[in-house]
Amino acid sequence: MFDLFRRRDTAMRYLLTGVLGVIALSMVVTLIPGWGSNTGGGDRNDVVAEIGGEKITVRDAVTNVQGVVRRMGVPPAAIRTMANNFVDSMISSQAMALQAKELGLTPTDSDVATAIKSRYPQLFPNGQFIGQDVYANFLAQQGTTVKEFEMNIRRQIMVERLTKLMEDSVIVTEKEILEEFQANNLKIKVDYIAVPSDAFSKAVTVSDADVEKIYNAGKSAYVTQPRYNFALVVLDEARTAMSMTVPESDLRAAYNADQERFRMPERAKVRHILVGKDKPAEAAKYEALARDILNQLKGGANFADLAKKYSEDPSNKDSGGELGYIQRGQMVPEFERASFTQKVNEFGGPVKTMFGYHIVQVTDKQEARLQSFEEVKEMLKAEVSRNSINSKMLADADKLRAQLVKNSKDLDGPAKAANANVYNYQDRELGGPVDELGAFPAVAETVRSLKPGEVSAVTAGPGNKAFLVIHRGTIAPRQMTLAEAAPQIRQAEVMTRSQNIQAEKIREIDGKAKQPGADFAALAKQYNLTSKTTDAFGMTGFAEGLGAASAIPDAFKLPVGGVLGPVMFDGKQHFVRVKERIEADPSKMAAERASLLDKVKVRRSRERMDIFEDSIVNNLIAQGKLKIYEDAKQKVLASF
């Protein structure tokens, strides 16, 4: 496909067929290594969804969620919810791509090449493609292949085109633009009283006698948690990789099976000096300068020094005009002709192109050839290893489990042979973090599901790990003593009493705050709270002391003196009174009209896509083109 990068005059072509009235994009399509690339084989129980013949596997989903968690720093408490939403987004986005394909929005190879060049400039230093080998190695380090990477770029373009159709289909009325202008420019000032959740808890005391009374009244409710003895066995792809050696025969087989990918085209290593860049009106002047530079070079001047002095190509003048190796089709015709006809170390020019005048020197030439096995051996080793590491780890895990089912007491030797680590836990409550896997709920769920002496199935873990559990025994719950139960009882009773007092005080404040002419400062002081007045703020801004205005959107609908509340945000109850309204100035609307139109259009598109996206998924399910397997999806969520 990368010969397409050499045809610079090829314009991106959009195949837009069909009419779509209700389309939008409710999510950003994420470029995910391996997503949807599995089109055959595998256990159905490991397939989360099948969309138009492509599959999202449990491994795909777990790996990609882990990547998002790492990149975004998702808090542990939110990971499971995020994972559920992300898996849904993977399914719906791929469904959207299938819909786009059926509407004729499939991009050409040229479109894909253009998108990669635009979105991944690191693959084109100084505008030149880094080469097929480096490209493949770069992607291998990201955990994907050229085929998978380009497949996902293709899918991403299709969904973007579907989104563009949606945006083009939205019609925005003048009334909507006016409403948006008013919403964006209306500002208010407010008085507010904040009531923290613990505002009245300091007055609450629970005596020892109260604690004992509560304990005696419901003693049976106070029992210890069950505790467990178990062994956790963890396998890691990284440890498996360290123990692996890839036979050279396998590498040679991979090399011989696909030699076309290792063919190197004719290349020339070139440097240049460019003058008269984008100055066609002064062509004669810069042609003369180019000839003068050429004469200086023929007289023995240093090429790199003259490039730094004269060249107008900012991407390489400081490196002496070096362009590196180029291939046919990468440069404009005049420059290419000079590069591939000049002799090595000869100075050529001036070469006139659409950019200006070039002095060209070819410093090396390489004929088209097939790279040798030795040249690509390390790249092949990385590819072959990546494809076999997981298979070996799971094979080791299955072998280990089979041995432990026969004799779970003989653990250390088989675990060592499988490159697994063993962690023994005694008298342990479940739910906390465990070695290597961290706070991973699937471990506790696995332990609870086993009977003493049983060995669990091999389960996928975070970070390319797998684990199994051996249940050694359970310590049954027992009645807590008064001393053991006292902290729990006291904390619960303080919370109950505080909530009751808080609710009563909130009702009192509510009644007084909404009386005409209520004095917020005096009212706050009466309840040992504080009252503040904000500066003016808009709907998209921030209110001093309150935070984002989006927390109190209804305040913008109130007249001066209107009271909103109680409203809960930022862990506090708030009473808000509008002190001043600063209306939008209609005379300024014309200057903002274009941006207002775009804003309304994007919002309307997203609103409509929420509906359309669901209909796409439901229609594909009804047609049998989309199958979602909830049991496999739950396996993904169990990993978090």
Side-chain angles (χ1 to χ4, degrees):
M1 185 203 78
F2 268 90
D3 60 341
L4 294 165
F5 285 119
R6 304 167 192 144
R7 298 198 293 273
R8 293 189 171 187
D9 59 341
T10 302
M12 180 180 287
R13 295 173 302 217
Y14 287 82
L15 301 177
L16 302 179
T17 61
V19 178
L20 214 53
V22 209
I23 310 174
L25 187 64
S26 65
M27 68 193 68
V28 175
V29 177
T30 307
L31 179 63
I32 302 173
W35 173 5
S37 62
N38 184 0
T39 56
D43 184 347
R44 209 293 295 151
N45 291 326
D46 287 329
V47 176
V48 176
E50 295 180 70
I51 305 102
E54 295 185 353
K55 297 178 181 179
I56 298 174
T57 67
V58 170
R59 179 173 173 75
D60 290 338
V62 170
T63 299
N64 293 315
V65 171
Q66 288 169 347
V68 173
V69 168
R70 286 193 298 270
R71 289 193 300 272
M72 298 178 60
V74 180
I79 289 176
R80 190 177 176 89
T81 299
M82 185 280 297
N84 184 57
N85 293 338
F86 187 76
V87 172
D88 287 343
S89 77
M90 289 177 68
I91 295 170
S92 58
S93 289
Q94 200 153 328
M96 294 290 288
L98 177 59
Q99 180 69 53
K101 182 178 180 180
E102 293 182 349
L103 286 167
L105 304 181
T106 305
T108 64
D109 285 348
S110 177
D111 296 334
V112 175
T114 300
I116 294 173
K117 190 170 184 179
S118 171
R119 301 172 195 192
Y120 296 86
Q122 64 267 44
L123 299 176
F124 300 86
N126 298 324
Q128 306 303 313
F129 178 48
I130 58 176
Q132 192 69 22
D133 291 345
V134 181
Y135 174 54
N137 278 327
F138 169 78
L139 295 179
Q141 291 169 8
Q142 312 306 311
T144 189
T145 66
V146 171
K147 181 179 179 180
E148 291 169 351
F149 177 78
E150 293 176 3
M151 180 188 298
N152 284 300
I153 286 287
R154 191 177 300 276
R155 183 180 294 117
Q156 189 174 11
I157 294 171
M158 287 193 289
V159 178
E160 288 169 355
R161 290 180 174 181
L162 200 58
T163 307
K164 182 66 166 58
L165 282 180
M166 176 64 237
E167 291 176 353
D168 291 345
S169 74
V170 172
I171 299 174
V172 179
T173 65
E174 285 299 318
K175 180 182 178 183
E176 289 174 309
I177 295 174
L178 176 60
E179 290 173 350
E180 185 71 21
F181 172 74
Q182 291 173 333
N184 287 351
N185 292 277
L186 168 66
K187 292 185 177 181
I188 59 175
K189 291 182 180 180
V190 302
D191 299 322
Y192 71 90
I193 299 172
V195 187
S197 58
D198 61 350
F200 306 105
S201 62
K202 295 177 182 178
V204 176
T205 58
V206 179
S207 67
D208 291 343
D210 291 336
V211 170
E212 185 173 1
K213 181 179 179 181
I214 295 169
Y215 174 77
N216 289 330
K219 188 180 295 187
S220 60
Y222 303 105
V223 295
T224 61
Q225 292 295 314
R227 305 177 77 87
Y228 298 85
N229 299 327
F230 64 95
L232 173 67
V233 184
V234 182
L235 299 97
D236 186 350
E237 282 190 3
R239 284 196 296 271
T240 302
M242 293 174 63
S243 69
M244 287 182 61
T245 57
V246 180
E248 186 165 308
S249 58
D250 289 357
L251 301 181
R252 287 192 179 276
Y255 175 76
N256 293 329
D258 190 14
Q259 287 194 352
E260 284 303 311
R261 61 186 285 221
F262 306 121
R263 292 197 180 279
M264 297 288 291
E266 179 187 7
R267 302 196 305 169
K269 189 176 184 182
V270 182
R271 58 182 178 175
H272 80 139
I273 300 171
L274 170 64
V275 296
K277 181 181 178 184
D278 301 326
K279 301 181 182 75
E282 302 178 77
K285 170 185 172 181
Y286 285 101
E287 182 179 5
L289 174 59
R291 293 188 183 281
D292 178 60
I293 295 170
L294 181 59
N295 289 332
Q296 291 183 55
L297 290 169
K298 291 180 177 179
N302 183 277
F303 192 103
D305 291 342
L306 293 184
K308 292 176 183 177
K309 180 177 180 181
Y310 292 108
S311 184
E312 297 176 41
D313 186 343
S315 67
N316 55 60
K317 66 175 293 180
D318 292 337
S319 61
E322 292 287 350
L323 291 171
Y325 283 98
I326 65 170
Q327 301 170 14
R328 291 188 184 274
Q330 287 185 323
M331 297 297 183
V332 290
E334 303 90 344
F335 194 97
E336 177 186 296
R337 191 177 306 114
S339 300
F340 285 95
T341 57
Q342 286 180 204
K343 295 179 180 179
V344 174
N345 293 326
E346 185 178 79
F347 299 115
V351 177
K352 186 178 184 301
T353 73
M354 60 188 292
F355 302 109
Y357 291 91
H358 307 256
I359 304 300
V360 180
Q361 184 184 31
V362 178
T363 58
D364 186 36
K365 283 187 177 181
Q366 295 180 354
E367 297 299 324
R369 66 186 181 87
L370 175 66
Q371 288 180 286
S372 69
F373 171 74
E374 293 300 328
E375 288 178 281
V376 298
K377 182 177 179 179
E378 291 305 313
M379 181 187 73
L380 286 170
K381 186 182 294 185
E383 290 180 0
V384 174
S385 295
R386 184 168 60 86
N387 292 334
S388 58
I389 287 170
N390 182 255
S391 297
K392 184 178 188 309
M393 183 185 78
L394 295 180
D396 288 345
D398 289 340
K399 181 179 178 181
L400 172 60
R401 183 180 184 278
Q403 291 173 306
L404 295 177
V405 168
K406 292 179 180 178
N407 182 8
S408 64
K409 294 181 180 179
D410 181 14
L411 176 56
D412 292 340
K416 184 176 181 181
N419 299 294
N421 286 340
V422 177
Y423 303 96
N424 291 296
Y425 298 95
Q426 300 292 324
D427 196 18
R428 170 72 178 253
E429 281 190 19
L430 298 180
V434 295
D435 291 279
E436 288 200 55
L437 304 180
F440 193 57
V443 175
E445 294 170 11
T446 301
V447 175
R448 290 190 189 99
S449 70
L450 299 174
K451 296 177 182 178
E454 286 186 335
V455 180
S456 75
V458 178
T459 303
N464 298 323
K465 293 180 172 65
F467 72 92
L468 57 85
V469 169
I470 305 169
H471 191 160
R472 300 296 196 194
T474 303
I475 302 169
R478 60 171 177 78
Q479 176 72 55
M480 284 184 178
T481 65
L482 173 60
E484 289 173 327
Q488 173 184 333
I489 294 170
R490 181 170 276 107
Q491 181 181 19
E493 186 64 13
V494 167
M495 181 178 296
T496 298
R497 295 183 186 184
S498 296
Q499 290 173 343
N500 291 338
I501 294 173
Q502 185 96 349
E504 180 184 346
K505 297 297 184 184
I506 288 291
R507 284 192 294 271
E508 291 178 9
I509 297 171
D510 184 41
K512 296 175 181 178
K514 292 177 179 176
Q515 292 178 2
D519 185 336
F520 264 39
L523 182 58
K525 186 175 182 180
Q526 178 183 346
Y527 289 90
N528 200 28
L529 302 170
T530 56
S531 173
K532 293 183 179 179
T533 301
T534 70
D535 293 331
F537 61 92
M539 289 187 69
T540 59
F542 288 82
E544 181 185 2
L546 286 174
S550 57
I552 50 171
D554 290 342
F556 290 85
K557 303 174 183 177
L558 297 176
V560 172
V563 176
L564 176 70
V567 179
M568 171 65 81
F569 61 90
D570 194 26
K572 302 174 185 176
Q573 297 274 20
H574 292 80
F575 293 90
V576 179
R577 180 174 60 188
V578 177
K579 184 175 183 178
E580 182 180 350
R581 286 177 61 90
I582 305 169
E583 303 292 344
D585 182 353
S587 67
K588 297 180 180 179
M589 179 175 155
E592 298 181 29
R593 189 181 185 284
S595 62
L596 291 168
L597 175 62
D598 288 342
K599 189 173 181 180
V600 175
K601 201 168 188 178
V602 170
R603 186 177 69 246
R604 289 271 309 280
S605 298
R606 288 174 178 167
E607 289 169 353
R608 294 169 70 179
M609 179 57 87
D610 287 340
I611 299 170
F612 183 75
E613 190 173 307
D614 287 341
S615 71
I616 287 288
V617 171
N618 292 333
N619 286 339
L620 290 177
I621 291 174
Q623 295 169 21
K625 297 178 181 179
L626 169 57
K627 297 178 181 179
I628 302 173
Y629 301 107
E630 287 296 331
D631 55 344
K633 184 179 176 183
Q634 291 306 313
K635 288 175 68 174
V636 175
L637 301 183
S639 298
F640 301 95

